Amino acid sequence: MPAPQCASCNKARAALRRPRSGQALCGACFCAAFEAEVLHTVVAGRLLPPGAVVAVGASGGKDSTVLAHVLRELAPRLDISLHLVAVDEGIGGYRDAALAAVRRQAARWELPLTVVAYADLFGGWTMDAVARSTAGSGRSRSCCTFCGVLRRRALEEGARLVGATHVVTGHNADDMAETVLMNFLRGDAGRLARGGGLGSPGEGGALPRCRPLQLASQKEVVLYAHFRRLDYFSEECVYAPEAFRGHARDLLKMLEAARPSAVLDLVHSAERLALAPAARPPPPGACSRCGALASRALCQACALLDGLNRGRPRLAIGKGRRGLDEEGPPREPQPSRPPTSQSVPDF
Ligand code: SF4
Ligand code: ZN
């Protein structure tokens, strides 16, 4: 059966059906619609004011690649400037290739790039060293929790280094829905209540952060990368299969098959949640070591580094005395498989 005409331009043949709406579009009209939706997210949410110097967390994966590309297209209209900031976690056999992809993007798009490394920022600790240290401690399955906390700090440091006023990350709707689901599964009401919205305004002196792709589905991010022919890194991190997030992802896929709106419904549910006064966590103070926002004496990053340096790796973040909050942080833009004939439907 021949492909229908594009429902937007009525000229070209449609190349895809939008996963959520079912609308048949050609590649050019789909990309224009995707960019317009991100623009709307940024403008309606007042995420990036004119004149903002924006540090884009760049991992080389599809999400941050699409984010950087879309923001570069929108930069003149938004009156913002962009700076790519990549974090080298020190993961042998993985991060070097991903960073090579970021360097190619920076060169092609003529964007400044700064790379910050865990080893330099955290007293020689790399993720590989953290994984070795936690092996056998019962915490080796929690690499992503350590990594997420440290990367948040590293990205903040990198953004300050380049004089950024705002930080953006490439989390998409699926990432956010997984996080909401994980927080429900852990019964972590505090994180559920804090996790809504499109970002954080910059409490405690931190730079404001936002997620302009938060309402875009993972499928559409992949489609955009495909139709714009973006070059991105698509291997999975060696530690990813151990993460609890994988279970939330599988569950979400099942939910989405039964109810296609499940992903966005979960994202919006976090925005509408309100904690009963008695369940609200105390207002955060300042870390006694680094001054970052902290709900205890030490912030999450300092507590993790403290445990590692004492030879007692611990996840002293999150929930009460147990200090367990495993696999918790939202995934930074993760590489995924390149589009396949199944993920890029054509007629
Ligand atoms: Fe870090 Fe992501 Fe690898 Fe987990 S999967 S260790 S968060 S880079
Ligand atoms: Zn601290």
Side-chain angles (χ1 to χ4, degrees), residues 72-347:
R72 184 171 169 272
E73 295 292 309
L74 300 178
R77 285 157 79 181
L78 290 168
D79 188 21
I80 58 174
S81 56
L82 303 177
H83 198 121
L84 301 183
V85 176
V87 176
D88 181 357
E89 301 93 343
I91 300 174
Y94 164 69
R95 191 42 94 195
D96 291 348
L99 287 175
V102 179
R103 290 199 175 93
R104 288 196 300 275
Q105 292 164 1
R108 186 167 308 134
W109 299 337
E110 298 180 329
L111 290 175
L113 166 66
T114 296
V115 180
V116 288
Y118 280 11
D120 299 331
L121 294 173
F122 305 129
W125 283 104
T126 61
M127 261 322 287
D128 284 339
V130 171
R132 281 194 298 275
S133 170
T134 56
S137 69
R139 297 280 183 247
S140 58
R141 287 170 52 80
S142 306
C143 282
C144 294
T145 301
F146 284 90
C147 188
V149 170
L150 297 180
R151 184 164 30 189
R152 189 177 176 85
R153 166 68 63 84
L155 189 52
E156 178 84 14
E157 300 266 344
R160 288 187 185 280
L161 202 65
V162 304
T165 58
H166 291 71
V167 178
V168 295
T169 58
H171 298 98
N172 60 45
D174 294 59
D175 297 328
M176 300 315 298
E178 287 164 14
T179 299
V180 174
L181 209 48
M182 284 195 299
N183 288 335
F184 264 119
L185 293 172
R186 287 190 305 241
D188 192 337
R191 281 186 179 227
L192 270 172
R194 286 197 305 272
L198 291 159
S200 56
E203 287 174 296
L207 293 171
R209 280 187 180 232
C210 62
R211 304 175 284 261
L213 301 184
Q214 184 171 314
L215 302 180
S217 74
Q218 179 140 281
K219 285 181 191 140
E220 295 212 339
V221 170
V222 173
L223 286 168
Y224 183 88
H226 172 76
F227 285 109
R228 287 286 189 232
R229 298 181 191 284
L230 301 183
D231 161 31
Y232 62 85
F233 181 69
S234 55
E235 296 295 318
E236 190 172 63
C237 170
V238 291
Y239 301 117
E242 298 167 353
F244 179 52
R245 182 174 287 275
H247 299 294
R249 188 169 305 148
D250 292 344
L251 186 52
L252 192 61
K253 281 200 185 109
M254 284 193 290
L255 291 172
E256 201 183 8
R259 180 183 166 89
S261 65
V263 168
L264 269 191
D265 288 348
L266 269 166
V267 173
H268 292 313
S269 73
E271 290 162 17
R272 296 180 196 123
L273 274 176
L275 281 189
R280 282 183 203 140
C287 171
S288 60
R289 189 163 297 166
C290 73
L293 211 61
S295 51
R296 302 173 177 209
L298 292 181
C299 70
Q300 294 180 349
C302 287
L304 290 185
L305 289 167
D306 196 50
L308 288 166
N309 288 329
R310 287 165 189 254
R312 292 174 53 228
R314 62 197 168 110
L315 295 171
I317 54 178
K319 303 200 303 188
R321 282 191 302 122
R322 284 189 303 152
L324 288 175
D325 193 9
E326 303 191 10
E327 324 290 2
R331 184 182 63 164
E332 288 292 322
Q334 266 295 302
S336 71
R337 305 263 165 255
T340 63
S341 54
Q342 285 170 330
S343 62
V344 183
D346 52 12
F347 296 93

